[in-house]
Amino acid sequence: MSAGICYCFSRLTLVNHLFGMRGLSNYCLSCCVNSLLQTFSVTWEIAELLERWDVAGAKGDAHNVALHLKRVLEAMRGDLPQPAPHRDFLHCLDQNNFRLNVQHDADEVFLSILNFIHQQMDNKVLAGEIQDLYKISVETNLQCLKCNSIQTETSYMLSLPLYVKEDDNSLEGCMNSFFEHQELRGINSCFCAHCGTKNPSRQGVKLLSLPRILCMNLKRFRNSRGSTRKLDCRVSFPETFDFSQSLQHVFSGNFAQNECRYTLYAVVVHCGYAMFGHYTAYVRHRENKCWYYADDSHVQQTTWEEVQRTYGGRQSFSVRSTLEMPR
């Protein structure tokens, strides 16, 4: 199990309508999904693309995650005082093997929802645009320490997995650790095509391109001797982050983007321990720029200072964050 700071960093853009702030009832241990839905509800790019989708020809209604996500996000934009109806979406996830009455990991559910959208939408162009919102393209270099030959491959991920240390951490420090070169020896040695054998290697990762919405998963669970524990350590994070100022050294030589500044707009929080706990979310309203705290059906306005206190310390919080890059 992992949890993280769903650091939804994004590029800020004005929108033409006001997003409602409706809660979601906790139905069959749905706090994890409820918190993710709150982050999707303030991701206007997702709502805009789903609104353009003509669902008349959509198949597999009961199993179609994209179709039910479109419906529940439409309901959440209303200004009614009662919680938005979302049981159909939960049952749809259940039909796709994310069972009700089971505690799930937020990052796993988030990535699965994106994959279900990509697989189940009949409009593949829109499905691709939704996935592209989160796509982080990377270049991995693997150097054989015996012959010094280098193998390079490109790939992408939809969320940046960042491991925290058993000490005070910063988001920038976690990202620096992710991009540090690692030596792979022993059972981790890699096959070298030039030598024809497995040899010790040095692996490095560089950024090829950044997405419009950058999700980071702060991984603070560790497996040891057959048991899982959660690290209770602090991680500080900013409300804005600029890769070109802080992490320019992680760019590949082929990196060509000019805009690398992100603004935090959603944080998913896990409170509790490794095997049980509760998920809530902090989201930033795009119109009034205020922060809101969503705990299932309860939604209230909060402050940036409260958001900063969510990760680490005696309360045993874990955070997943999402950031958006301004256009």
Side-chain angles (χ1 to χ4, degrees):
M1 180 185 287
S2 68
I5 176 166
C6 175
Y7 214 59
C8 287
F9 271 112
S10 71
R11 306 183 181 113
L12 292 180
T13 304
L14 291 177
V15 291
N16 297 321
H17 56 278
L18 186 67
F19 279 80
M21 294 299 303
R22 297 183 68 182
L24 298 160
S25 298
N26 192 322
Y27 175 68
C28 299
L29 301 180
S30 66
C31 62
C32 173
V33 177
N34 292 355
S35 299
L36 290 172
L37 285 174
Q38 292 292 352
T39 70
F40 281 127
S41 74
V42 293
T43 306
W44 67 269
E45 297 92 338
I46 289 278
E48 187 177 78
L49 290 169
L50 289 175
E51 284 176 4
R52 289 164 48 193
W53 178 30
D54 181 4
V55 299
K59 298 179 180 179
D61 184 288
H63 294 79
N64 196 315
V65 172
L67 180 60
H68 286 283
L69 179 63
K70 174 183 170 73
R71 291 172 178 170
V72 72
L73 292 183
E74 288 174 352
M76 292 178 71
R77 288 199 296 273
D79 291 324
L80 299 175
Q82 63 266 34
H86 72 315
R87 290 193 181 187
D88 287 346
F89 180 75
L90 296 174
H91 284 289
C92 179
L93 288 179
D94 185 72
Q95 292 289 321
N96 285 276
N97 294 318
F98 274 93
R99 300 303 185 194
L100 297 170
N101 292 306
V102 175
Q103 292 201 19
H104 296 289
D105 170 57
D107 194 57
E108 182 183 0
V109 178
F110 165 73
L111 294 175
S112 295
I113 289 174
L114 291 184
N115 286 328
F116 290 144
I117 291 172
H118 194 66
Q119 296 163 8
Q120 297 172 357
M121 279 185 72
D122 55 1
N123 188 325
K124 296 306 179 184
V125 174
L126 289 179
E129 288 185 42
I130 290 174
Q131 190 165 84
D132 286 346
L133 289 173
Y134 299 92
K135 189 174 288 187
I136 308 161
S137 295
V138 297
E139 176 184 271
T140 303
N141 299 305
L142 190 66
Q143 180 182 18
C144 174
L145 295 181
K146 183 177 181 181
C147 70
N148 289 323
S149 64
I150 298 176
Q151 303 176 60
T152 301
E153 66 175 29
T154 60
S155 59
Y156 73 88
M157 58 187 73
L158 302 175
S159 175
L160 202 60
L162 304 177
Y163 283 88
V164 300
K165 301 175 181 178
E166 297 191 54
D167 199 352
D168 280 0
N169 299 261
S170 68
L171 183 71
E172 183 178 338
C174 290
M175 284 193 283
N176 269 313
S177 296
F178 176 83
F179 289 104
E180 282 179 351
H181 283 80
Q182 296 182 346
E183 289 200 1
L184 307 174
R185 297 180 178 274
I187 60 173
N188 295 318
S189 295
C190 296
F191 180 79
C192 173
H194 185 267
C195 297
T197 58
K198 281 189 173 184
N199 297 325
S201 306
R202 180 180 293 111
Q203 179 177 275
V205 179
K206 295 286 188 179
L207 282 171
L208 281 171
S209 66
L210 286 163
R212 173 161 176 72
I213 300 170
L214 178 62
C215 288
M216 303 182 197
N217 176 33
L218 297 187
K219 305 176 77 68
R220 41 185 314 172
F221 294 109
R222 298 289 187 273
N223 294 314
S224 176
R225 298 179 180 177
S227 62
T228 303
R229 65 189 180 93
K230 181 177 174 182
L231 299 184
D232 183 20
C233 50
R234 175 174 171 75
V235 178
S236 59
F237 52 92
E239 195 168 16
T240 60
F241 188 86
D242 193 336
F243 272 84
S244 63
Q245 292 184 2
S246 305
L247 289 166
Q248 194 170 18
H249 61 281
V250 307
F251 293 163
S252 162
N254 296 318
F255 189 92
Q257 289 175 240
N258 294 321
E259 182 58 77
C260 304
R261 184 174 181 271
Y262 287 87
T263 299
L264 180 67
Y265 77 94
V267 180
V268 173
V269 182
H270 178 268
C271 180
Y273 302 94
M275 303 312 296
F276 63 91
H278 181 61
Y279 280 101
T280 57
Y282 290 85
V283 295
R284 187 173 183 261
H285 200 291
R286 297 191 63 84
E287 290 288 340
N288 62 21
K289 305 297 188 291
C290 293
W291 281 95
Y292 290 85
Y293 175 63
D295 182 356
D296 292 329
S297 59
H298 177 71
V299 179
Q300 68 179 45
Q301 189 170 334
T302 187
T303 63
W304 166 239
E305 288 71 28
E306 285 296 319
V307 178
Q308 289 177 293
R309 285 194 282 267
T310 58
Y311 198 18
R314 297 178 180 177
Q315 293 177 303
S316 189
F317 283 122
S318 177
V319 188
R320 183 179 181 282
S321 64
T322 311
L323 306 96
E324 187 176 40
M325 188 182 291
R327 284 179 181 150

